[in-house]
């Protein structure tokens, strides 16, 4: 469990179209084997420490005759942002993905000084 040490808690959310590969026969739609889409997300304000980031599939458009394989996650989380990463593999054909995210973490307090 992550414990917050500050009374100032920040929440930021967003939604991002990660790709739309059916329009131009891109690798998520026409390829096979391991494939990855990665987008850097920058927070509007900097958190005091790396926040907890929750990601969810907001829109998932696939070809229905193949197995549907997906891995959506937040990686490289820092106080400034994170990488939103979608992966698929095998013969899955993914036309489009929109990922939604929510970051929750401590904010800096101008009245609290870190003295070392």
């Amino acid at each position: 469990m992550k414990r917050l040490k500050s009374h100032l808690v920040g929440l930021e959310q967003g939604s991002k179209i990660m790709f739309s590969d059916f329009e131009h026969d891109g690798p998520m739609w026409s390829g096979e084997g391991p494939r990855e889409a990665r987008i850097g997300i920058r927070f509007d304000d900097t958190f005091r420490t790396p926040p907890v980031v929750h990601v969810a599939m907001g829109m998932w458009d696939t070809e229905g005759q193949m197995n549907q394989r997906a891995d959506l996650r937040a990686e490289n989380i820092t106080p400034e942002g994170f990488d939103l990463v979608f992966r698929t593999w095998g013969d899955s054909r993914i036309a489009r993905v929109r990922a939604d995210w929510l970051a929750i973490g401590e904010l800096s307090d101008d009245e609290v000084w870190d003295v070392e």
Side-chain angles (χ1 to χ4, degrees):
M1 174 181 292
K2 182 172 183 147
R3 294 186 184 273
L4 302 176
K5 298 175 186 168
S6 172
H7 68 282
L8 293 176
V9 176
L11 297 162
E12 187 171 341
Q13 65 182 11
S15 187
K16 192 74 170 170
I17 298 284
M18 296 200 65
F19 57 86
S20 189
D21 279 8
F22 74 98
E23 296 172 329
H24 54 81
D25 215 24
M28 293 292 187
W29 182 246
S30 63
E32 287 194 11
R35 288 158 282 155
E36 175 182 285
R38 180 178 295 263
I39 296 176
I41 302 293
R42 300 287 295 177
F43 300 129
D44 290 339
D45 290 315
T46 300
F47 287 92
R48 185 171 177 264
T49 60
V52 172
V53 178
H54 172 77
V55 295
M57 203 76 73
M59 187 255 310
W60 162 251
D61 183 6
T62 67
E63 196 270 290
Q65 300 199 4
M66 307 296 185
N67 287 330
Q68 306 309 307
R69 301 173 184 94
D71 178 23
L72 178 65
R73 63 181 58 205
E75 293 183 350
N76 305 319
I77 302 168
T78 70
E80 293 80 28
F82 68 98
D83 290 336
L84 188 56
V85 182
F86 175 87
R87 292 182 180 98
T88 192
W89 56 95
D91 60 354
S92 295
R93 289 172 46 105
I94 316 298
R96 295 181 290 184
V97 163
R98 185 185 70 236
D100 298 334
W101 58 269
L102 173 66
I104 304 170
E106 291 180 86
L107 297 176
S108 295
D109 185 346
D110 293 338
E111 295 183 20
V112 175
W113 296 10
D114 288 330
V115 180
E116 294 182 26

